[in-house]
Amino acid sequence: MKWRIGVAAAVLVAVGVLVAAVLVVPRFLTGTDTIDRSQPALLQSLRDLSQYHASAGEFQVVLDIERDVRYVPSALAGQRTLFVAAGTVNAYVDFGGLAEDALRVAPTTASGEARKVRLALPGAVLDKPNLDQERCYVFAQERGLFDRLASLVETQDQQPFYVAAERKIADAARESGLVRRADDNTRKMLTGMFGALGYEVEFTNLD
């Protein structure tokens, strides 16, 4: 009787090994394939651009964000995260809103030939920070016991880190002098363009 049980066990083991070989071995021998069944991107809208991007800045920030649970020790609940984020901010001048009288040509020669241009130029503004996804990552993280257990069954939402990073980078861009540099670069560009046509340009503030 015992030998029958031994034979049956041996058969089961052999079947298990065979099934494993059929299911697992081909994956190691041939690798895995990725099939992309996504639909192609659809064009939603088109718009003409009238912005002159005159300067850009590269920024990096390290966020140190701690989330505590009241009246619970940090060893049990809560987390502290160091998140590294990097991105760019552009400063641009929008010519789309210029009125017809924003550009005036005044005669300055005895013959009445127009050689001077007066331009009411809008001030430069900052674009929204553009984060580089490949350079944004969690550098280090300390979590309580409950948070570590929760991470086994759910993925942490990193959106709050990106939002905070955008806010920090936007604040840094406002203090960096990007707008002033964009104003200067725009004036230099227009001065060179009109100068090549034989005109002297005078800039005024846009009312």
Side-chain angles (χ1 to χ4, degrees), residues 170-181:
D171 292 340
R174 282 191 288 269
E175 301 295 331
S176 67
L178 267 180
V179 170
R180 182 175 63 254
R181 180 183 291 268

Side-chain angles (χ1 to χ4, degrees), residues 62-82:
V62 178
L63 301 177
D64 186 351
I65 299 178
E66 184 173 357
R67 181 179 60 83
D68 293 327
V69 180
R70 294 179 182 177
Y71 314 117
V72 178
S74 59
L76 295 178
Q79 66 180 19
R80 181 180 178 182
T81 305
L82 295 180

Side-chain angles (χ1 to χ4, degrees), residues 33-62:
D33 295 326
T34 300
I35 301 175
D36 187 355
R37 294 189 174 90
S38 305
Q39 298 296 319
L42 298 178
L43 177 64
Q44 296 292 325
S45 63
L46 288 173
R47 59 190 177 94
D48 295 327
L49 296 179
S50 57
Q51 301 172 353
Y52 175 66
H53 290 251
S55 64
E58 291 276 349
F59 297 88
Q60 184 179 54
V61 61
V62 178

Side-chain angles (χ1 to χ4, degrees), residues 140-153:
Q141 192 171 58
E142 298 176 356
R143 290 177 292 185
L145 176 61
F146 295 150
D147 292 83
R148 291 199 299 270
L149 293 176
S151 65
L152 298 176
V153 296

Side-chain angles (χ1 to χ4, degrees), residues 60-142:
Q60 184 179 54
V61 61
V62 178
L63 301 177
D64 186 351
I65 299 178
E66 184 173 357
R67 181 179 60 83
D68 293 327
V69 180
R70 294 179 182 177
Y71 314 117
V72 178
S74 59
L76 295 178
Q79 66 180 19
R80 181 180 178 182
T81 305
L82 295 180
F83 187 82
V84 178
T88 59
V89 178
N90 294 326
Y92 66 91
V93 176
D94 188 0
F95 297 114
L98 289 177
E100 294 183 359
D101 59 349
L103 179 64
R104 298 179 181 179
V105 180
T108 57
T109 63
S111 62
E113 184 180 0
R115 289 299 179 185
K116 191 171 185 179
V117 173
R118 183 175 290 109
L119 177 61
L121 190 66
V125 295
L126 292 174
D127 206 351
K128 180 180 178 181
N130 182 24
L131 296 182
D132 186 350
Q133 300 295 327
E134 295 183 355
R135 298 167 61 195
C136 298
Y137 57 93
V138 174
F139 178 75
Q141 192 171 58
E142 298 176 356

